[in-house]
Amino acid sequence: MSGNDPAARGPADRSNPFASGSSSRHPIPTVLVTGPTATAREAAIAAALGHPATPRSNVAAVILEGLPDGNVMLEASAQLLISRIAPGCLCCAGNLVMRVTLNRLLRQRPARLFIGVTDTTHLDQLRSWLSSAPYDQLLALTPDLHS
């Protein structure tokens, strides 16, 4: 079989966001959201999603680190994919969980991605990790949102 034979690549390549053809797609605008509490971070994301300039027909994805601390401001729907992950440094101890969660969301090809971060100690390392391969082809980091 030739290395260029589409059958040799298998059918999974079309649904894999990391397949070689995926770099031709537009990178997903990605916002890191920081704030003192989970409620503040969720409120900032809800406000950004509710902004009049935000297209309502596009699916957005949210990764929230930690459990809600009272009021849940965001509800999952067909237009909003929400994943919660255990608190911990997302670039160190929580890297595997973050990678799996992110990969699952990226397979659904959201139009926007928000990542709520509880601890900003390693925010620069997280930003660097999201800017390196393979995510550099899939994500476009935008200015952080501080709640």
Side-chain angles (χ1 to χ4, degrees):
M1 250 187 227
S2 161
N4 295 329
D5 181 3
R9 287 186 294 237
D13 285 354
R14 277 179 258 132
S15 64
N16 183 352
F18 305 108
S20 61
S22 66
S23 64
S24 63
R25 297 183 188 273
H26 295 288
I28 299 166
T30 302
V31 180
L32 298 179
V33 183
T34 62
T37 66
T39 300
R41 290 185 298 276
E42 284 192 52
I45 294 169
L49 290 169
H51 192 274
T54 302
R56 302 290 178 252
S57 61
N58 293 337
V59 174
V62 177
I63 297 175
L64 296 168
E65 180 187 9
L67 298 173
D69 55 4
N71 298 332
V72 175
M73 312 267 317
L74 299 171
E75 295 289 334
S77 69
Q79 298 306 115
L80 184 60
L81 309 172
I82 299 176
S83 292
R84 290 190 184 272
I85 58 178
C89 182
L90 297 180
C91 70
C92 297
N95 184 276
L96 178 61
V97 173
M98 175 63 173
R99 186 178 303 267
V100 169
T101 302
L102 181 58
N103 292 352
R104 285 182 179 160
L105 285 175
L106 291 176
R107 285 189 183 95
Q108 298 190 39
R109 303 201 189 282
R112 296 178 71 188
L113 173 63
F114 294 88
I115 302 174
V117 181
T118 61
D119 184 6
T120 60
T121 305
H122 294 155
L123 196 58
D124 289 337
Q125 289 92 326
L126 177 60
R127 195 177 290 109
S128 176
W129 179 73
L130 293 170
S131 299
S132 62
Y135 302 111
D136 61 335
Q137 298 296 312
L138 302 167
L139 305 175
L141 290 177
T142 62
D144 296 351
L145 179 59
H146 305 282
S147 57

